Amino acid sequence: MPYGRPRMSLFAPICADPAPGAAGAMAAFSNSVAHIPAYQEFLRAQGFDPETVRALEDFERIPVMTKKNYIGAYALNLRMINGDINGAQIISSSSGSSGKPTFYVRGPLSIAESVELHRRILAGFNLGRGNTLIVVALAMGNWIGGTYTTEAAEKLSEQGHRVVVVAPGVDKQSVLETVRTLGPMFHNVVLVGYPPFLVEVVDEAEDEILAQNIKLILAGEAIGEDRRDSLLNALGKPGCVEDICVVYGTADAGMMGHETPSSIAIKRLALSHPALDEALFGGDAETSTFVEYDPNMRFIETEEDGHLLFTVESGNLLRYRINDVGAVWDGDEVRRIVAENGHQIEVATSTVGAGFVVLKRRSDVAVSFYAINIYPEPIRASLADPLLRGVLTGRFTIGRVPGAGMGSDTLGLDVEMRHSIDPSTGLDEDFAQTVKEIVSDGLIRSNSEYRELLRQEGERVEPRITLHSFGSLPSRIGIKQPAIKDNGVQK
């Protein structure tokens, strides 16, 4: 299906055989230069002449847009076509997990893209001819996830797909009752939610719920393959890895990419083959997210330092850096790398020209500890270890805890126990020690600077573990859990 308004480029055609999505990115730039007041002023402030952009190599010189220099610097209406706020259909906000919430608009093009991307996810689930209940267990306020998913499901139903949507939000008992009552009327049940929340839902579900054909769409946070396997075992679906799909999304522009059967298979293969891991993930497969993306909807570049840049016409974003660090591969590159490493697996994509994104971490979400950055991704992966996941929910915060004297700071890690665990019985220093050892091992494997720090300073720089009973760890239910704290302040 076509996307976007008619292209009226001010510039000469790009060179022959351009990268997939390049023509659309150039046209998005042309439209923004012609019609978006904020972008016109932004380029003037940067001293950049848009007339110099004639080909894709010129596109790479366009000033990088950030939340600070653009989103926070210009009013919402000025960041829209002709400065008209009425061009929006829905206004959403970020979760505020890294600061003050920011407002973003969604119009017809953004919604059409969302519908198509959700259609592709459901196709990957191989739902067959039966009907499907989509249960949206995401917050249903201004935050994008809940309304974005619900609206996409409604539109798919209007288009004739056999889907029905219900949106109980983040009330756990309401989600369970919804699936218990309505699920048996459908061949498939798709639960959509934030991973730690759906872990709790599955953990508390009775056998009559778990006996249903449940599939999961997880948004807002990555999961490790151990966590995927744990969830599938709880659902009675061991080995059915394609029944869980992780979505890579942002409040700024909606869904950037999503897992497919091929992306899941490749990542799991890399976990047991270091050469493939190094070639595709830089050795970080264990803590990375690996998703397919459509360059005709999201044109993605990579800066020299690994920051991803997004050009998204539906969000009026041009070379936008959201501080995510990773890598971009086109489908043919992935096929070549897989084959060169001696593996014979199909690397299929939803559309011709689709590529893959490796998301490693957010560069602005880290704890500075002894002048090195500690990121949450390896900790999140460690807490999914089989020895821990039966006790811990996966929610945590980590931060530098100032000491009384010079060089006496410690790395504090607060972890939350499952609702069924009583911290006063059966858990003692031995379990906390196990958590510390597993997390330390994960940091050692993933962070060479921490490995050297540990060699020099010894156990005093290992994380100090504090166990919290269920619900007592500070959080905002249903919104992205802040993993970083600074001197006790959540970020």
Side-chain angles (χ1 to χ4, degrees), residues 5 76-77 79-81 83-92 103-111 151 314 316:
R5 60 184 73 83
L76 181 62
N77 61 309
R79 292 186 272 118
M80 299 186 62
I81 297 296
D84 184 7
I85 194 68
N86 291 309
Q89 287 188 330
I90 298 177
I91 297 177
S92 300
F103 290 98
Y104 301 93
V105 300
R106 287 185 283 142
L109 177 57
S110 174
I111 293 167
E151 185 170 36
S314 60
N316 297 325

Side-chain angles (χ1 to χ4, degrees), residues 155-178:
K155 297 290 186 183
L156 286 170
S157 181
E158 291 174 4
Q159 293 175 5
H161 296 275
R162 299 192 67 191
V163 299
V164 175
V165 63
V166 60
V170 291
D171 183 321
K172 185 166 40 182
Q173 294 308 312
S174 179
V175 172
L176 290 168
E177 184 59 33
T178 296

Side-chain angles (χ1 to χ4, degrees), residues 126-409:
N126 193 25
L127 298 174
R129 296 185 177 181
N131 57 352
T132 299
L133 178 67
I134 299 177
V135 182
V136 181
L138 291 161
M140 296 300 296
N142 280 344
W143 309 288
I144 187 171
T147 55
Y148 187 79
T149 306
T150 301
E151 185 170 36
E154 290 174 342
K155 297 290 186 183
L156 286 170
S157 181
E158 291 174 4
Q159 293 175 5
H161 296 275
R162 299 192 67 191
V163 299
V164 175
V165 63
V166 60
V170 291
D171 183 321
K172 185 166 40 182
Q173 294 308 312
S174 179
V175 172
L176 290 168
E177 184 59 33
T178 296
V179 178
R180 182 187 300 109
T181 303
L182 299 180
M185 305 176 193
F186 294 83
H187 294 90
N188 314 286
V189 175
V190 176
L191 287 175
V192 189
Y194 175 52
F197 180 72
L198 288 189
V199 166
E200 295 170 20
V201 169
V202 172
D203 190 40
E204 295 187 28
E206 305 97 325
D207 290 345
E208 63 181 299
I209 293 176
L210 298 177
Q212 299 177 36
N213 186 24
I214 295 175
K215 301 171 189 286
L216 304 179
I217 297 176
L218 304 180
E221 183 180 290
I223 64 165
E225 295 308 302
D226 284 344
R227 177 67 75 186
R228 189 193 307 269
D229 289 339
S230 175
L231 281 166
L232 289 170
N233 288 336
L235 292 170
K237 293 184 167 187
C240 298
V241 297
E242 298 166 7
D243 280 0
I244 296 179
C245 176
V246 174
V247 168
Y248 172 28
T250 72
D252 321 57
M255 193 187 305
M256 294 298 193
H258 58 87
E259 288 186 327
T260 65
S262 285
S263 75
I264 296 169
I266 293 166
K267 180 183 175 183
R268 290 174 75 92
L269 186 65
L271 291 174
S272 56
H273 292 85
L276 181 61
D277 184 358
E278 185 63 35
L280 279 177
F281 300 91
D284 293 326
E286 182 180 9
T287 57
S288 294
T289 298
F290 189 53
V291 300
E292 177 188 289
Y293 82 101
D294 189 334
N296 293 308
M297 298 185 196
R298 284 93 176 90
F299 185 69
I300 309 178
E301 305 166 86
T302 308
E303 294 185 287
E304 289 185 5
D305 62 359
H307 281 98
L308 302 174
L309 300 179
F310 298 91
T311 295
V312 183
E313 182 186 14
S314 60
N316 297 325
L317 302 173
L318 276 298
R319 308 198 77 222
Y320 182 51
R321 182 198 296 138
I322 57 176
N323 292 321
D324 285 352
V325 174
V328 180
W329 303 99
D330 68 36
D332 287 339
E333 288 175 324
V334 173
R335 294 181 187 95
R336 174 182 57 78
I337 291 170
V338 169
E340 287 178 350
N341 280 273
H343 306 292
Q344 303 298 319
I345 64 171
E346 181 183 13
V347 182
T349 55
S350 301
T351 60
V352 175
F356 296 90
V357 176
V358 177
L359 174 63
K360 294 186 177 183
R361 65 179 186 275
R362 292 208 61 178
S363 63
D364 61 346
V365 180
V367 173
S368 179
F369 183 63
Y370 282 81
I372 68 173
N373 288 331
I374 305 293
Y375 294 95
E377 286 78 10
I379 297 169
R380 186 173 292 122
S382 296
L383 295 181
D385 185 279
L387 292 176
L388 306 181
R389 64 190 181 215
V391 177
L392 302 178
T393 66
R395 286 197 180 96
F396 70 94
T397 62
I398 187 165
R400 177 179 54 83
V401 181
M406 293 290 291
S408 60
D409 289 358

